[in-house]
Amino acid sequence: MLLGEQEQFLSYNGEVLIFQLSKPKCVEGAADKTVNLCVRRMAFNRDTRLFVQKSSGVFSMRASHFKMEIICCSCATDSRTGIILPCILMKKKKRNNVVKYLLLLLHSSNQFEQSFHFKLDYELKEDIRLFTGPSVLWRHANKLFYISSDTCTVLSAPVQLSSVVWTGEIEDEGTVVLGIRTACLPESEDEFSTSDRAIWGSEFFGYAIETQKMLSGTCFMAHAYSRVVSSVCVCKNEMSKKQLRISLVAITHKNQLIWFQDGLPKGVCELPYEKPCSVKTAVTRSNDLLFIVSFASGNSCVVQRRDSLQVASKWQNVKSVLVDDFIGSGSEQLLLLFKDDSNTDVLSTFKITDLGEVNYASGINYKHDLPAAEGLQENGLLTVRALETRLQAGCTSVRELQQHLGLKRRVILESCRALIDLVEERTHILPTAKEVKCRREYRSLLNSAKPFEGLVSLWDDVENPPHSLSKETSLASKVPEHFIEKLWQRVVGDSLVVGVKLTESYYLSLSDVSLSLVMDQDFSSISPVIECRNKIIKLNKAFSALAVSPCQIEPPPKKMKLDSHSKNDLKKEFPKRCSKVQLDGAKTVIAVTSLAPLLAFHRICCIVLLHMKKQKRRNDSIQESKKITVLCGKILLSLEDISNGKYSVKMLRDNSYCTGSMEDILAVLAVSVRFSFQIVSSDCTLTPVNSWLLGEMECTPFKECHDNIFCHKAGNVYGTVFNWTLKNPFEGVLTLFCRNLTVLFQCLHSLTRVLPPSCDVKFLRSGSKGVLTEQLALALEKEMHTLRSSFFSKESKAENSLTRGNEPGTKISDAPMASLLDSEEGVQQFRKKLQNEREESVLSMNQTMNGALYQEIALKIAEAQLSSDMIVWRLS
C-alpha cells in the first residue's frame, strides 16, 4: 500500500468508526514531519436516514524517516478492565528494513493509548489477528507467533501450520487458534495412493495459547474437509459432560459454505461468487442466524439457515460489511458500504438491512416519504421487544411455579410414605440428602426435566419428640383383632365406592371416623393420596331409622373453639378429606371418589386406611380422645374387571322385590343426594302418592328393607331410591335419594301431576320433623348428663381435697348433744366441731380447680351444646 490517504472501518456499540491516516505534514518550528491518525464516530440518524458525526479524535506521530500504515483494526477485550475496546495495529517501516509495530487502544473519550510496541526484521503479511489482551497473532514461515500487553515479548508457538482460519475464545480452553497443518504420513508409497495423500496430507487442529494444549480437529470438522477450508467462524461452543460441543460454519476453496455440528456436516450451500475470503455471523430480530461471506472480488452475499442453507441476498462492489445494532432496535443488522469513486464521503453509499423489515438505503430522500410507514415500523419494533420481554418473564414465572409444585409434591409423597409405615407398624426413616439427590437425578433422566432442590427433614432430630411416629405406631398396635367386619367396593356410574363395615361392639366406643385411599404403587410424578369424600350411613331394617350423614355445615349461631390438642388433631388429618361427622349408631363408613383418574393406570392397588377417635373414660367420668389409624386392607381395581361388571351394582326384579344386596344399597345411597319433602293434604287422602311410586315410577321395595323402594323406570330417574312414610292419611314425608338436581326436578314434576291441587309440599332441611324432635330430646338429655357429670366430678375432687386437708386427730365422735354440754370439756369439744363444720362450709362455697380440668369440662359442655344447637338449626 502506497503512503497516502488510508481508511479503515470498524463497528463499535452501534457506531461506525472511521480511521484515516493523513499524509506527513511539516510542523512549524519542528524539524520532523508528523502523521495524524484521525478517528470519526458516525451514528445513524433514523429521522434523516443518514450517518452523522458524533465526535472525533486525533493521534499524532513523528514520521521523519518512517513510512506509516494501518495494518488492521478490530475490537478486543482489555485484560486490565474487561472492557471491549477498539484496537488499531500500526506499522512504521524504517530505511534499514527494521519494522516497528504499535498497538493502539481507543477509549470512549476518543483518546488513543499505546498498549505496546515491538520490532521485527520482516513485515507482517499473513494471517494477522487481534484478540483478548489485547494481543497480536500472526503466521510467518509456517510458524505461529504472538505477543500480548502482559508480556510485551514476541513468543513462538511449538506448532507448524500452513494457515490460520480462526482465533477466538472457547469455553474452558481460553484463546484458541484454529489452523491447518501438514499431516505426518508414512513415507512408504504402498500405504497411501496419490489421491489419498491429497486428502489426508492436511489436517485441521486447534491450539490453546494459555495452556499450550493441542485440540483434536475432529471435534470441529471431519478430516476430509481440512484441505479445502479457507476460513471458519465458530458460532457456538460449550462444554457438556466433559465433552466439547462446537457449532461452526466454514467456507472452502470450492466456493461452498458448510455448516458443522460437533464435527459432522449438517448442511452445504453453493456460493454465488468465486474466491470467498472471510465469513462472519449476525443474529437478526427474528432470531435468524445469517452468514455474511465476503469475496476477493469485492462482492458479498448472505446465507440464511432455516430448513436448509440457501443464499438469501448478494451484492457487488462492496467496500466493507459491518455487523452491529445501527438503528438501536436491540438486534443486529448488516451495514454494507459500497464503492463510489464519484463521492469522497466514505458513508455516501450504504445499505442497512436485516433481510426482514429493516431496510434503509442511501440516495433516497426520506424526508418527504411516507412518515406513517416510519411510525409503523418503529412501533412494530417496540411492540415486538415488549412482547419478547413479557414472554421471557412469563417463562421464568412458569419455571418457578413448576419448582414450587415439585417441592410440594415431594413433601406429600414423603408424608404418605410415613403414614403407610405408621399403619403397617414400620419405623419410617427420612431419606438422606444423598438418597434424595440420587432419586432426583433418576427422575430427571426419566422425565428429561430440570431437577429441583433436595428434600430435607422437616422435623428436628431430637429423641422422643412430641407426637412422634413411634408414639402413634404403638397406639395403632393396640387396636383389637376382628375390628373390621367387612371391606367392599362398588362402581356406580363415574364413582368408586369403598365401604368398611365395623363390628357393633367395638364401634360404639368410637367417633370421628373417616376413610382414606392411598395408591400402593410408587408414582414419582403424582401424589398417591386419592381425593375422596366420606359418608356415614345408618341403615336398619325399618326404614324410619334410615339416615345418610354426609359432612354437615356448622350452623351460624355457635362455633366451637378448639383447644391446642384439637388443633393438632386437625392438622394431622389426611388432606382433602371431609370427615367431621358424628357416628352415633352408625354401622358402615364409606368413601366415594372419582373413577376416571384411576382408570388411567389400567390396574391399580389402593390401601384403605381408617381414621378415628377412640373415647376412653377416666375414673372421674371425663372422656379422653385418642387418634387411631387402622389398616383395613387393600382393594384391586382394573379396567378389565370394570368392563366385565365385577363391581357393578346389581338391582334386579324378583317377584315384586329388588334383589340388591346391602352393599349395593349402601353404594347407591352414598353417591346420591338426599332430599325430604313434607306433603300435607287438607281435603283428601294421600293415596295417589303410593300409586304413583308403584305405577308410574315402577318402584319395587328392597328385600333387605321393605320400606326402601328402588325406581326401575327407564331414563334419568333410574336408580332413584324413595321412602314414603305416612304419619296419618293426610300427612306424610317423601324422601328421595337421587344423583343430581335434574333427576329431582323430573321426579317432582311427575309427582305434582298426580297430587290434588290443595296439597302443600314443603322441603325439609334434614329428615322429618318427628325424627329431628326425637334427636333433639336425646341431645338435650346428653347435654344435661354432661353438665351433671362435670359438676359432680368437680364436687368429688373438692371433697377429697378437704378430707386430705384435715388432720387425723381432729375427727369428733358422734356423741349425744346433751352429754357434750354437761361439762366444760364437752362444750369445748362441741365448739371445735362447730368451727370445723363452718370452715368446711366456707371452703365448699369457694372451690377452685386447675386450668387443665376446667378446660376439659368446658370442652365437653361445648360439644354437647353444639350437638343440640345443630338439631335446633335443622328444625328451624
Side-chain angles (χ1 to χ4, degrees), residues 171-319:
E171 185 176 351
D172 293 343
E173 300 294 345
T175 302
V176 173
V177 179
L178 300 182
I180 300 173
R181 64 181 179 180
T182 303
C184 297
L185 298 178
E187 297 182 358
S188 175
E189 298 182 359
D190 298 335
E191 296 185 16
F192 291 92
S193 62
T194 303
S195 59
D196 290 339
R197 286 185 178 273
I199 296 176
W200 297 97
S202 302
E203 65 175 349
F204 194 84
F205 76 100
Y207 176 75
I209 292 180
E210 284 86 349
T211 60
Q212 298 184 0
K213 174 184 174 183
M214 298 296 297
L215 304 179
S216 174
T218 56
C219 61
F220 298 96
M221 66 177 63
H223 183 87
Y225 294 90
S226 301
R227 59 183 296 270
V228 296
V229 171
S230 60
S231 182
V232 165
C233 181
V234 176
C235 305
K236 183 179 179 181
N237 65 89
E238 61 180 354
M239 191 67 67
S240 176
K241 297 179 181 179
K242 298 182 179 181
Q243 184 177 2
L244 184 61
R245 305 191 59 135
I246 298 289
S247 297
L248 61 85
V249 62
I251 54 176
T252 68
H253 300 298
K254 302 293 185 180
N255 304 325
Q256 292 177 325
L257 184 141
I258 307 175
W259 171 262
F260 291 93
Q261 181 74 40
D262 296 331
L264 300 177
K266 297 297 182 180
V268 63
C269 175
E270 294 291 336
L271 298 177
Y273 304 111
E274 295 181 351
K275 297 181 180 180
C277 56
S278 65
V279 59
K280 62 179 71 174
T281 62
V283 180
T284 63
R285 181 168 54 89
S286 58
N287 284 332
D288 288 338
L289 183 61
L290 305 180
F291 305 117
I292 304 98
V293 182
S294 299
F295 298 85
S297 59
N299 300 331
S300 296
C301 73
V302 173
V303 177
Q304 203 165 12
R305 185 175 70 93
R306 289 185 175 175
D307 297 335
S308 61
L309 294 175
Q310 53 185 344
V311 177
S313 185
K314 58 183 179 179
W315 304 274
Q316 295 180 345
N317 297 322
V318 178
K319 183 187 299 184

Side-chain angles (χ1 to χ4, degrees), residues 775-792:
Q775 292 180 359
L776 178 60
L778 294 174
L780 292 175
E781 182 181 355
K782 182 179 180 181
E783 182 179 344
M784 293 177 61
H785 175 73
T786 303
L787 289 169
R788 183 179 178 185
S789 62
S790 301
F791 175 75
F792 281 113

Side-chain angles (χ1 to χ4, degrees), residues 290-491:
L290 305 180
F291 305 117
I292 304 98
V293 182
S294 299
F295 298 85
S297 59
N299 300 331
S300 296
C301 73
V302 173
V303 177
Q304 203 165 12
R305 185 175 70 93
R306 289 185 175 175
D307 297 335
S308 61
L309 294 175
Q310 53 185 344
V311 177
S313 185
K314 58 183 179 179
W315 304 274
Q316 295 180 345
N317 297 322
V318 178
K319 183 187 299 184
S320 179
V321 179
L322 304 178
V323 176
D324 211 321
D325 183 12
F326 299 102
I327 65 172
S329 64
S331 59
E332 295 179 334
Q333 306 95 39
L334 278 66
L335 172 61
L336 294 102
L337 303 178
F338 296 96
K339 298 177 182 179
D340 188 3
D341 297 334
S342 62
N343 200 324
T344 58
D345 189 359
V346 293
L347 291 178
S348 60
T349 308
F350 67 89
K351 182 181 182 66
I352 298 177
T353 182
D354 65 350
L355 302 188
E357 297 180 0
V358 179
N359 191 9
Y360 299 111
S362 60
I364 301 177
N365 187 4
Y366 289 94
K367 294 183 179 179
H368 304 289
D369 282 355
L370 300 175
E374 172 193 351
L376 289 175
Q377 182 176 1
E378 184 172 359
N379 292 338
L381 293 175
L382 296 176
T383 302
V384 170
R385 275 184 287 173
L387 291 176
E388 289 176 349
T389 303
R390 291 181 60 184
L391 181 60
Q392 293 176 357
C395 293
T396 303
S397 300
V398 169
R399 286 194 296 269
E400 292 177 353
L401 182 60
Q402 288 175 344
Q403 293 179 359
H404 183 65
L405 293 177
L407 179 61
K408 281 187 174 181
R409 183 184 70 245
R410 293 197 304 278
V411 172
I412 293 175
L413 288 174
E414 195 60 38
S415 301
C416 293
R417 294 189 185 99
L419 179 61
I420 294 174
D421 291 341
L422 170 65
V423 172
E424 296 182 355
E425 301 185 5
R426 293 197 307 260
T427 301
H428 180 71
I429 301 175
L430 290 174
T432 62
K434 185 176 181 181
E435 292 175 351
V436 171
K437 182 179 179 181
C438 294
R439 192 183 304 167
R440 181 186 64 201
E441 292 178 351
Y442 176 71
R443 284 199 303 265
S444 65
L445 289 175
L446 291 179
N447 301 331
S448 297
K450 182 179 179 180
F452 303 113
E453 297 297 326
L455 184 66
V456 297
S457 174
L458 299 181
W459 298 275
D460 295 331
D461 296 331
V462 296
E463 294 184 3
N464 299 326
H467 307 290
S468 62
L469 297 179
S470 59
K471 181 177 178 181
E472 296 195 18
T473 304
S474 62
L475 183 62
S477 62
K478 295 180 181 179
V479 178
E481 296 181 0
H482 310 297
F483 168 73
I484 298 170
E485 186 174 331
K486 188 176 183 180
L487 172 65
W488 52 269
Q489 64 190 96
R490 292 291 187 275
V491 174

Side-chain angles (χ1 to χ4, degrees), residues 52 62 77 107 161 165 175 239 241 249 288 348 362 393 424 455 472 502 517 532 560 585 752 791 835:
V52 295
R62 290 187 304 172
T77 302
H107 295 277
L161 73 167
V165 296
T175 302
M239 191 67 67
K241 297 179 181 179
V249 62
D288 288 338
S348 60
S362 60
E424 296 182 355
L455 184 66
E472 296 195 18
L502 309 178
L517 303 180
C532 57
M560 183 176 64
T752 53
F791 175 75
Q835 184 69 23

Side-chain angles (χ1 to χ4, degrees), residues 7-10 15-20 37-43 52-58 106 110 112 344-347:
E7 293 179 345
Q8 292 282 345
F9 304 95
L10 182 65
E15 300 174 347
V16 178
L17 305 182
I18 303 176
F19 298 98
Q20 291 179 325
L37 176 64
C38 303
V39 60
R40 290 191 296 160
R41 293 181 183 267
M42 309 293 290
V52 295
Q53 180 174 320
K54 289 183 61 179
S55 60
S56 63
V58 177
L106 178 64
N110 290 328
F112 287 89
T344 58
D345 189 359
V346 293
L347 291 178

Side-chain angles (χ1 to χ4, degrees), residues 613-650:
K613 279 186 179 180
K614 182 179 179 182
Q615 301 289 347
K616 181 180 179 182
R617 288 184 175 271
R618 295 178 179 174
N619 296 330
D620 53 7
S621 299
I622 300 298
Q623 293 183 345
E624 178 185 7
S625 298
K626 289 188 176 181
K627 294 279 292 185
I628 299 176
T629 302
V630 180
L631 176 63
C632 303
K634 297 182 179 181
I635 60 171
L636 296 175
L637 191 68
S638 66
L639 189 58
E640 183 179 359
D641 292 339
I642 295 175
S643 302
N644 296 333
K646 182 177 179 180
Y647 304 113
S648 300
V649 173
K650 298 176 177 60

